[in-house]
Amino acid sequence: MRWEDPDFTVRVAATDDLLRIQHENVTNGWDRRWSSDAALLRQVESVAGVFLCPMLRNGGPEAEPESYRCWAWFVLGTDESTRGVTLLDVSRAVFETLPELESPTELRRVIKATMARVMLGSRFEDMW
């Protein structure tokens, strides 16, 4: 285990990043994505960043592009006070271009927000 490995990072995706991920997922035929661009834009609050936390690696360079299956934590576009969480496939190439949360303060903030939402009942969202 190497701590500099992207497997152990938290990244932040903006709406444009999510659309790029969505289009790549459609091209690759990956399952964990939104049903359409419109569904993504309707479901995810556009101002808030989406935190991507890798859960496991998919594929590899020989069979298909390597990707991560990530927990995606976000503010629901339909209700600003509600957080959603879902699984999203993100290619390693795109994942590594996203800004990384590096400071202990930022990481603590994400952990606190995530734990608070787990305790308060974040909704696991279908990507409708």
Side-chain angles (χ1 to χ4, degrees):
M1 174 170 78
R2 295 184 335 252
W3 290 111
E4 67 273 5
D5 192 315
D7 292 0
F8 301 106
T9 63
V10 175
R11 305 291 172 125
V12 180
T15 304
D16 289 344
D17 300 319
L18 292 175
L19 289 169
R20 180 169 49 138
I21 291 166
Q22 172 77 5
H23 297 162
E24 185 175 48
N25 288 359
V26 169
T27 300
N28 289 316
W30 293 339
D31 294 332
R32 296 308 311 163
R33 59 182 163 83
W34 275 269
S35 58
S36 67
D37 289 0
L40 185 159
L41 295 171
R42 181 176 60 248
Q43 191 172 17
V44 178
E45 170 59 45
S46 62
V47 177
V50 174
F51 297 119
L52 299 174
C53 306
M55 184 175 68
L56 57 91
R57 286 188 195 178
N58 296 319
E62 293 178 23
E64 62 183 61
E66 189 173 7
S67 66
Y68 293 104
R69 180 144 300 167
C70 297
W71 289 108
W73 293 87
F74 56 95
V75 175
L76 290 172
T78 56
D79 183 357
E80 197 171 300
S81 64
T82 303
R83 302 273 191 254
V85 62
T86 195
L87 295 172
L88 179 65
D89 289 331
V90 182
S91 74
R92 184 178 180 133
V94 170
F95 185 82
E96 290 178 347
T97 67
L98 299 173
E100 179 180 349
L101 293 182
E102 295 183 278
S103 82
T105 302
E106 290 174 326
L107 290 170
R108 275 194 297 276
R109 193 173 303 152
V110 170
I111 291 167
K112 282 181 182 179
T114 303
M115 291 295 103
R117 286 300 161 185
V118 166
M119 292 175 66
L120 293 173
S122 287
R123 293 186 350 207
F124 188 80
E125 291 295 311
D126 288 327
M127 298 168 141
W128 36 266

